[in-house]
Amino acid sequence: LRAVTLGGTGPTTVVKMVSLKLQKRLASSVLKCGRRKVWLDPNEVNEISMANSRQNIRKLVKDGFVIRKPQKIHSRARTRRALEAKAKGRHTGFGKRRGTREARLPTTVLWLRRMRVLRRMLSKYRDAKKIDKHLYHYMYMKVKGNEFKNKRVLMETIHKTKAEKTREKNIQDQFEARRVKGKAARERKHARREARQASGQTGEVPAPAAPARPAKK
C-alpha cells in the first residue's frame, strides 16, 4: 500500500492508501521473478497505479519506474575456507563427529569401492591379454571371497600364479621331452635288434657248457 496525498497541505490533508498488488503481480510476470524482487518507485505511485496491463508495465520498466532488484550476495568464502581446512584434517576430531563410524562411512560403501577397483583391474589385465579367461575367473572368485585387500596384493598373487604355472609347464615340457627321447631311443634299439636278427647276427654270446659229472660207482 502506498500513501497518496489528495489535497491540501495543512492539518486537513487527506491521505488515501493505494494498493499496488496488481501492478506488482504483473511486474513479476513481465520481469520473470518473484514479487519480492520487484521494486516500484515510491515517487511515481500515481502513474504506477494507473498501469493495469502488462504493456503498461513494460513501459514503466523501460522508463525505470519499475525495476528488478539485484540478487543478494551469499558469499561462500567462509564455507570454502572451512572446507579447505577440513580437507587438511582440521576440525575432524571426536568432538566434531555426530554419527557412528558405520553411519559416517558404511562398510558396504568400502566393500563396493574395493570390489569395483579389483574387478576393474582384472578386466584391464584380461583385455591386455596379461591373463587368460580361466585365470580371470579364478581370481574373480577369489576377489569375491574377500581374499585381497588391495590392488597390490592382487597383482602380486597374479604374478606368483603365472610364475607357478610357467614353472609347471616347463617341468611338464621337460618330462615330455625326456619321454619322447626315451621312446625314440627304445625304437632305435629295437630296430637295430631286428636288423641284426634279420642278418643272422644276434650278437648274443652262447653260455659255456656245464662240466660232465663223474659216474657213481
Side-chain angles (χ1 to χ4, degrees):
L1 297 177
R2 301 287 182 177
V4 180
T5 303
L6 295 181
T9 55
T12 59
T13 302
V14 179
V15 177
K16 182 181 178 183
M17 304 302 289
V18 179
S19 175
L20 300 177
K21 285 181 68 175
L22 171 66
Q23 286 74 16
K24 214 162 202 188
R25 181 176 66 79
L26 294 175
S28 69
S29 175
V30 169
L31 297 173
K32 293 184 173 57
C33 64
R35 276 175 282 190
R36 60 196 294 268
K37 286 287 185 182
V38 175
W39 179 83
L40 304 176
D41 192 345
N43 299 323
E44 304 293 339
V45 174
N46 287 331
E47 189 170 349
I48 293 174
S49 63
M50 298 295 291
N52 58 1
S53 66
R54 286 179 172 78
Q55 185 174 357
N56 294 339
I57 294 295
R58 288 193 190 94
K59 184 176 182 303
L60 294 175
V61 170
K62 189 175 181 180
D63 294 340
F65 298 155
V66 177
I67 63 175
R68 176 179 177 171
K69 292 181 185 177
Q71 188 174 0
K72 289 186 178 179
I73 295 175
H74 189 177
S75 174
R76 283 189 55 82
R78 290 180 296 278
T79 304
R80 290 196 192 98
R81 192 162 59 242
L83 291 176
E84 286 174 5
K86 268 198 170 185
K88 294 178 182 177
R90 317 288 193 266
H91 319 296
T92 55
F94 290 116
K96 290 288 185 180
R97 302 178 193 174
R98 298 298 297 273
T100 62
R101 179 185 299 176
E102 182 69 18
R104 287 162 62 84
L105 187 58
T107 53
T108 305
V109 173
L110 293 174
W111 169 266
L112 286 174
R113 287 179 184 172
R114 183 152 56 100
M115 288 298 104
R116 286 170 181 167
V117 166
L118 297 177
R119 288 173 179 176
R120 195 178 303 123
M121 177 182 169
L122 283 177
S123 297
K124 286 183 179 178
Y125 269 44
R126 183 182 59 180
D127 296 341
K129 307 297 183 184
K130 291 183 179 179
I131 58 176
D132 58 359
K133 63 180 182 179
H134 305 291
L135 185 57
Y136 169 83
H137 182 70
Y138 177 73
M139 289 297 171
Y140 188 97
M141 299 309 292
K142 279 189 171 294
V143 166
K144 187 177 181 181
N146 195 23
E147 192 158 326
F148 311 112
K149 65 178 183 179
N150 52 37
K151 283 169 47 173
R152 180 181 58 80
V153 178
L154 175 58
M155 194 182 305
E156 289 176 356
T157 307
I158 289 175
H159 292 327
K160 191 181 298 183
T161 305
K162 287 177 65 178
E164 184 67 23
K165 282 193 171 185
T166 303
R167 191 176 69 85
E168 290 178 359
K169 186 176 184 301
N170 291 336
I171 293 174
Q172 187 69 23
D173 291 345
Q174 291 174 6
F175 176 76
E176 185 68 21
R178 282 199 300 268
R179 192 179 68 81
V180 171
K181 185 177 180 182
K183 184 178 180 182
R186 286 193 302 272
E187 288 178 352
R188 285 197 303 272
K189 184 177 179 181
H190 185 66
R192 285 198 303 269
R193 182 180 299 170
E194 287 183 349
R196 284 198 301 269
Q197 287 176 355
S199 62
Q201 300 175 358
T202 58
E204 296 179 357
V205 178
R213 292 183 180 182
K216 290 184 179 181
K217 292 182 179 180

